[in-house]
Amino acid sequence: MSNKVYLFQPQHAIFIKGIENYWLPYAAGCLWSYASKHTEGFELGEIIFKREDPFKILDRIDDPVLCVFSTYIWNEQYNLYLARLIKNKFPDCVIEFGGPQSTRGLIENDFIDCVILGEGEKPIVDILNRIKNSCHIKEIYEREQIKEVTYESPYTSGVLDKIVKDNPNYHWATLVESTRGCPHHCTFCDWGTWMDKIKKFDLTQVEADINWMSTHKVGFLMMADANFGIFKDRDLLIARMLRKAADHPLAIIDDLTVQYTKNSTDVIFDISKALGPYDRRGVTMSVQSMNSPTLKAIRRQNNTIEKAKKFVKKAREKGVNVYTEMILGLPEETVESWKTGLCELLEAGQDSIDIWFCQVFGNTELNLNREKYGIKVVNATDYVSFTNKEDSIKEIVEIVNQTDSMTTEDMIESYLYAWMVIMFHINGFTHVLSEYSNLSYREYYDNMFECLRNDTGLFGNHFKEIKKRVTTYLTTGQLISDKDKGHLLELSMGTDFDLFWNNKTEVFDFVKSILPVSKSLFELQQKTVYDPKTEYPFTIMHDKEFYIIDNPRSDEERDDIWVLKRKNLLKNKLIKP
């Protein structure tokens, strides 16, 4: 009997500063690290981590007994295509699918033998033992949390060392788990329906994993914990471990990302400070929506404007960056509640906002209960930003484009409103004017929205182009502009920033036409936009008072739009007297 096992967690490369980067196949590594200690008689053939020509991979596979596919939105169609090829060539090989994208429906494919809906470590051992004993293979492994996460990780067990050694020209992104599970039940999240018990990894193991990163060309390290900071003292200690590893003389770690606890407390500010310059994203003010009916529908705690104000104020006092992510297309959201919610965040002082389309996938409650809220979707191709457009196998993500409370036309309008707020306010071109006007933020930006609709100049025409692009995407799932790449269509961040930056005179001509303002206020607004030729800080007078204008950009940050956005450095800091 053959004894070779192949594991698949393929992905596209990400080019950072001209260097080819890949995610280390952590999930696949965990499966083999666990299985190799709990069963005998099997050999690891290869862990496939790159999206290559499927036929080249097929040529490398030698008489497999089991092929294990870790599946998510960036590799589902590729995995299905490759799995069919393998089954055709090796009909006796057992084909297993698992990962967040796995559903019962996958078993209907005649080339798939079994599907794991929950954590994979124990089921993989069971499959291997059934193969060894010539027993019937179970078709479905139900969701079940592993009782203890005490096994050796793929880092310290050496499973991933070979991949790093065999690919010396690559840099790596990877995950570290210190816990697994989440007590929240967000309906749009895969964990929300079943992984509600938090399991802790041994702290010594966590430290060893983190230290491994310093000597294995890891540039981007993400803590996979869903609520980092929920265990205050422990997580602060881990944050210090992360900082120490990043500061190691052999380390190339440039970014330490953590998923902060949803119920934010003071400890997350301490964690961010401990991570220092490596915490490039900053602290999350987790809201998804500011609409109470929506938050109830997705099982998130209510977020009030008062809470948001306190949170942002405390972040500013601590000198910590804070950002918010909003999801467009959630149940019970309306075009009016969406616009109001964005403006409430501005009122709270939030200066960094990201917008995401709502996805439905896998076994999430949102996906399984579409009818409840009248959820309609479009099959969107090339959604993930690092998709290679030349790849002939297109991945498909189901994007919400209609609900009982929001038509597709409403979603398009909501998208455009968010685009306007981010491009003009968050990027600094109207921040001062909107704050000092006699109008509320909602009134100011409603007025601007109408001006954009009717403008026949550069930005009115661009507004119409953006509308066409997002309309096509939300109705057909197709990208019609080379400027767009999957979820980067969300507010066309990179290309649109350049448009505004390279046409600042036209931007200010447009915003000045919205409402009459004093000469000194308009000058204050202009000075709030970053100028690379200006030496900061400096002072300026408005309304008989002095203001300090500053922008503490480092040389490293000057050309990284995403970092500047997260750190609220796209615009200058206005320090009031």
Side-chain angles (χ1 to χ4, degrees), residues 48-66:
I48 308 296
F49 68 92
K50 291 194 297 184
R51 281 180 73 124
E52 304 174 61
D53 181 336
F55 290 95
K56 289 183 178 179
I57 294 176
L58 191 65
D59 288 341
R60 295 205 305 268
I61 295 174
D62 179 25
D63 194 20
V65 66
L66 173 66

Side-chain angles (χ1 to χ4, degrees), residues 227-253:
N227 292 276
F228 197 69
I230 197 170
F231 301 111
K232 298 181 181 180
D233 295 337
R234 171 186 163 97
D235 290 347
L236 185 55
L237 177 61
I238 293 171
R240 291 174 179 141
M241 294 176 186
L242 291 166
R243 175 65 182 271
K244 183 179 179 182
D247 283 339
H248 189 284
L250 296 179
I252 64 166
I253 297 172

Side-chain angles (χ1 to χ4, degrees), residues 466-512:
I466 292 288
K467 181 177 181 179
K468 181 179 179 181
R469 282 152 59 184
V470 74
T471 297
T472 303
Y473 199 60
L474 286 179
T475 53
T476 71
Q478 300 299 310
L479 298 171
I480 60 171
S481 170
D482 290 337
K483 299 176 184 177
D484 300 325
K485 195 173 185 181
H487 70 253
L488 292 189
L489 179 65
E490 285 134 14
L491 311 182
S492 307
M493 180 59 198
T495 55
D496 280 6
F497 178 82
D498 289 341
L499 174 72
F500 279 63
W501 179 258
N502 294 328
N503 296 279
K504 284 183 284 188
T505 299
E506 290 83 352
V507 176
F508 285 124
D509 285 343
F510 173 73
V511 300
K512 189 164 57 173

Side-chain angles (χ1 to χ4, degrees), residues 8 54-55 57-58 61 64 67-69 71 75-97 105-113 393:
F8 299 80
F55 290 95
I57 294 176
L58 191 65
I61 295 174
C67 286
V68 176
F69 289 86
T71 306
N75 63 20
E76 180 184 25
Q77 298 305 312
Y78 180 90
N79 280 349
L80 288 169
Y81 184 87
L82 183 55
R84 184 185 292 277
L85 293 179
I86 294 170
K87 194 68 168 181
N88 287 340
K89 184 174 181 180
F90 304 102
D92 294 330
C93 173
V94 175
I95 303 292
E96 180 277 330
F97 268 62
L106 284 174
I107 202 65
E108 296 175 7
N109 291 284
D110 57 7
F111 55 89
I112 295 177
D113 297 289
I393 302 174

Side-chain angles (χ1 to χ4, degrees), residues 135 348 472 513 515 543:
C135 294
T472 303
S513 69
L515 286 174
D543 201 19

